[in-house]
Amino acid sequence: MRKDWIAGALTVCLLLTGCGTGAENTAEAARSSMQTNTEEPVSREIFAMDTYMIITAYGENGQEAVDAAEQEIDRLDALLSTGSADSEISRLNAAGTAQLSEDSAELVSRALEINRGTGGAFDITVYPLMQAWGFTDEAYQVPSDSTIAALLEHTGSDQLDWDDDSNTLTLGDGQAVDLGGIAKGYTSGRIMELFDEYGVQSGLVSLGGNVHVHGTKPDGDKWRVGVQDPENSENVVGVLEVTDCAVITSGGYERYFEQNGTTYHHIIDPSTGKPADSGLSSVTIVSADGTLADGLSTALFVMGADKAAEYWRQHADEFDAVLIADDGSISVTEGIADAFSSDQSFEIISRK
Ligand code: AMP
Ligand code: MG
């Protein structure tokens, strides 16, 4: 599957370096002439958080910004990874309680907020279910109904005890947590902050195909971010033209196994304990808030198209979305209808 990630990341890159429309207003033209269009970006490819990543920064301090971004990714990976036994999250899971550092605390607090907001569709306590399905160690298996029922007893963020004065999280009986559903969006958001600190006005990061863009392209054009085809992740079904935002996708195609002709993917519906079967094959969220974009991509995938559209109507000022259904049909929320282009026709989800 790593090959797919690489292909996906490269697709994004190709699109991003492609030409924009060329239609520039005076301000944009002035901005491009001031900037060094010929300047080569600093770009680095790394493998972290179980994913293939590319960090790119243009202009002065690009090198320093990319160095700082790489260090930040490594720092957050070491803190949050459930794959390493001495990460803060693994130690919390082993001990059942822990006082969390600033980043983990921020993530837990956002995760709980998204959990409440999405009626439980996003839930960091699905980790024991992820283990039972073998997604954590690639020993894939379909758990028995009784195993799932027993684990569901302990699933639910309402069983967590979160003290936000002391940043102490205490797990309920049999619980373990996993921030994998929002960690990448938080990380890309942190990289945007670092770009700001280093004075980088133009840059982007792709974390396993989840893209976060900073500013515009150096010539003032919008960034062009591809939305992958869930059926073939080397293809894109459409392109979003965006500035200053995260474009984060959750899809069953990103990690899955097959058994007896059935495909089982890694996004668990916390109400059933099984891979979500909501009729969607991918959800792409566009938002200035990377953490929110990541949490909602997972949550709306679980919710399915109708509930996702309803949720968007209540939060249209916070994010937009591209939904791709199992039959390949595409729906786009009104806020990005003009920013999205596709060879395929698509439905627009309107505010009312
Ligand atoms: P994403 O790729 O952002 O959709 O995140 C998927 C990852 O989040 C999975 O690999 C799990 O680690 C975790 N996860 C799976 N299902 C859920 C869920 N319903 N709520 C929160 N995290 C989940
Ligand atoms: Mg997510």
Side-chain angles (χ1 to χ4, degrees):
M1 208 126 3
R2 179 163 170 191
K3 195 162 149 270
D4 289 352
W5 291 331
I6 295 172
L10 293 179
T11 310
V12 168
C13 251
L14 278 174
L15 281 164
L16 290 166
T17 51
C19 294
T21 60
E24 289 173 321
N25 64 26
T26 319
E28 279 173 337
R31 184 174 144 77
S32 4
S33 66
M34 273 158 53
Q35 293 200 340
T36 44
N37 280 344
T38 50
E39 194 166 2
E40 285 295 318
V42 178
S43 215
R44 187 159 317 152
E45 299 169 11
I46 55 173
F47 191 81
M49 297 186 174
D50 228 7
T51 265
Y52 188 78
M53 305 181 168
I54 305 174
I55 316 161
T56 304
Y58 291 80
E60 226 182 311
N61 296 338
Q63 184 72 48
E64 291 83 349
V66 169
D67 286 345
E70 182 174 0
Q71 279 170 23
E72 182 66 353
I73 289 168
D74 288 343
R75 187 183 71 84
L76 292 172
D77 197 8
L79 205 60
L80 304 171
S81 168
T82 46
S84 103
D86 57 346
S87 74
E88 191 168 54
I89 298 305
S90 294
R91 281 186 278 123
L92 161 71
N93 284 335
T97 186
Q99 186 168 21
L100 300 178
S101 66
E102 209 181 312
D103 296 281
S104 304
E106 166 75 8
L107 272 168
V108 165
S109 149
R110 296 296 308 277
L112 295 178
E113 186 184 298
I114 296 170
N115 171 265
R116 286 188 295 270
T118 60
F122 184 84
D123 198 318
I124 57 174
T125 67
V126 296
Y127 191 59
L129 287 157
M130 292 294 291
Q131 289 174 309
W133 285 91
F135 285 109
T136 52
D137 57 3
E138 295 183 18
Y140 300 122
Q141 58 176 328
V142 179
S144 69
D145 286 349
S146 61
T147 299
I148 292 175
L151 291 172
L152 279 174
E153 295 275 314
H154 305 289
T155 304
S157 288
D158 52 344
Q159 296 177 40
L160 293 171
D161 182 10
W162 173 233
D163 179 351
D164 59 3
D165 290 327
S166 67
N167 285 346
T168 301
L169 183 63
T170 304
L171 311 179
D173 179 36
Q175 288 197 307
V177 294
D178 166 26
L179 299 171
I182 48 170
K184 290 193 200 89
Y186 178 77
T187 304
S188 68
R190 280 290 303 131
I191 293 170
M192 299 303 110
E193 287 172 14
L194 286 170
F195 281 175
D196 268 336
E197 281 171 33
Y198 281 84
V200 167
Q201 291 175 7
S202 190
L204 66 122
V205 62
S206 168
L207 311 182
N210 296 317
V211 176
H212 205 143
V213 303
H214 190 61
T216 62
K217 295 202 303 195
D219 63 3
D221 281 351
K222 291 180 175 169
W223 299 102
R224 291 164 52 78
V225 181
V227 176
Q228 280 182 0
D229 179 353
E231 293 296 318
N232 177 355
S233 53
E234 286 177 40
N235 294 341
V236 296
V237 296
V239 175
L240 284 158
E241 292 203 42
V242 290
T243 60
D244 283 310
C245 66
V247 179
I248 294 190
T249 299
S250 287
Y253 63 90
E254 290 173 328
R255 202 184 313 165
Y256 59 89
F257 68 96
E258 281 172 17
Q259 193 170 302
N260 299 331
T262 305
T263 301
Y264 301 95
H265 62 71
H266 69 129
I267 302 173
I268 302 292
D269 182 339
S271 69
T272 63
K274 298 178 180 174
D277 184 17
S278 68
L280 291 176
S281 55
S282 83
V283 172
T284 299
I285 303 288
V286 180
S287 172
D289 180 342
T291 312
L292 181 77
D294 199 353
L296 289 184
S297 69
T298 311
L300 270 53
F301 184 92
V302 171
M303 288 156 102
D306 292 347
K307 282 189 189 162
E310 201 41 54
Y311 185 88
W312 172 75
R313 287 189 187 99
Q314 287 158 18
H315 300 86
D317 53 337
E318 292 169 33
F319 75 97
D320 276 287
V322 179
L323 312 179
I324 304 182
D326 288 342
D327 66 4
S329 61
I330 305 174
S331 312
V332 177
T333 58
E334 208 176 352
I336 47 166
D338 291 340
F340 183 74
S341 55
S342 174
D343 290 342
Q344 204 179 312
S345 63
F346 55 90
E347 187 204 335
I348 296 175
I349 301 170
S350 63
R351 284 194 172 80
K352 42 183 175 13

